[in-house]
Amino acid sequence: WRARGIFLFLLLAVGCGKDTSTTPSASSARQLLDALHIDNHPACADQHYIRTDWLPGWKIISDCQNTRAKVLIAQSSVGVTYTNSKDCTVSKGYWTSSYNDKSYTSASDLDIDHFVPLGEAHKAGGCTWPSEKKNSYANDLSNNYHLIAVDSSSNRSKSDRSPSDWLPANTKFHC
């Protein structure tokens, strides 16, 4: 069920806020979902997920900016300001959390969430990956849905639960 929940969540979420003409209907999504049979990876059944194995810290991407800073910069609807003249750590901007549909101007009010929790990637086979691949996945900026700036409270409520176990208060983000 866990993998099926992730599949359904991603299948529907890719249409959020976009042209919905290519988003499958609920009945089509259900048919696709019913045809999908994914189990947790057998090698991962007995391996405990440890977050720091995946994300010991945000990776420095360029100069002094880490993954967190890059996500905050990309997702702010206005130019950001920094905590000092080195432009390393984002201080202010304007973000709307998809999880509660509220706006924030202070970066310290936000977490960067892994849309698909790292614990789910671990169970789906990521437990077999070397440390470098786990860290690369945890810091991946190539997909706009992978890392999202959201309010800290909602993200901590979500924790590492899958979409089949947790959905945000903002029903518009359920799609």
Side-chain angles (χ1 to χ4, degrees), residues 1-2 5 120 123 158 160-167:
W1 281 103
R2 190 179 322 271
E120 292 298 312
K123 293 172 192 169
K158 175 188 173 202
D160 66 348
R161 291 187 286 171
S162 72
S164 61
D165 297 324
W166 184 91
L167 289 173

Side-chain angles (χ1 to χ4, degrees), residues 144-174:
N144 292 337
Y145 293 105
H146 180 58
L147 297 171
I148 55 175
V150 297
D151 65 290
S152 300
S153 177
S154 294
N155 187 48
R156 292 169 193 174
S157 169
K158 175 188 173 202
S159 186
D160 66 348
R161 291 187 286 171
S162 72
S164 61
D165 297 324
W166 184 91
L167 289 173
N170 178 14
T171 57
K172 291 186 286 184
F173 199 65
H174 296 185

Side-chain angles (χ1 to χ4, degrees), residues 8-9 11-17 20 23-24 26 170-175:
L8 180 61
F9 193 58
L11 183 66
L12 297 176
V14 295
C16 292
T20 57
T23 302
N170 178 14
T171 57
K172 291 186 286 184
F173 199 65
H174 296 185
C175 293

Side-chain angles (χ1 to χ4, degrees), residues 52-129:
T52 55
D53 287 350
W54 288 77
L55 189 64
W58 293 114
K59 184 188 290 184
I60 300 296
I61 303 297
S62 62
D63 298 323
C64 61
Q65 290 178 347
N66 63 19
T67 306
R68 174 183 166 78
K70 292 293 188 184
V71 171
L72 290 169
I73 293 164
Q75 295 181 9
S76 177
S77 60
V78 300
V80 300
T81 60
Y82 300 91
T83 58
N84 61 41
S85 62
K86 292 183 182 180
D87 293 354
C88 299
T89 305
V90 175
S91 174
K92 303 285 183 195
Y94 192 86
W95 303 272
T96 300
S97 173
S98 297
Y99 288 175
N100 68 3
D101 203 28
K102 293 181 182 174
S103 297
Y104 297 87
T105 57
S106 177
S108 64
D109 291 332
L110 303 171
D111 283 351
I112 305 304
D113 184 41
H114 292 87
F115 196 65
V116 174
L118 297 177
E120 292 298 312
H122 175 86
K123 293 172 192 169
C127 74
T128 64
W129 295 350

Side-chain angles (χ1 to χ4, degrees), residues 120-148:
E120 292 298 312
H122 175 86
K123 293 172 192 169
C127 74
T128 64
W129 295 350
S131 296
E132 299 81 24
K133 186 171 182 178
K134 290 177 182 178
N135 189 254
S136 179
Y137 176 81
N139 283 278
D140 184 17
L141 294 170
S142 67
N143 181 309
N144 292 337
Y145 293 105
H146 180 58
L147 297 171
I148 55 175

Side-chain angles (χ1 to χ4, degrees), residues 33-48:
L33 184 61
D34 288 341
L36 181 68
H37 299 286
I38 299 174
D39 292 321
N40 289 339
H41 193 283
C44 304
D46 296 326
Q47 293 195 25
H48 182 67

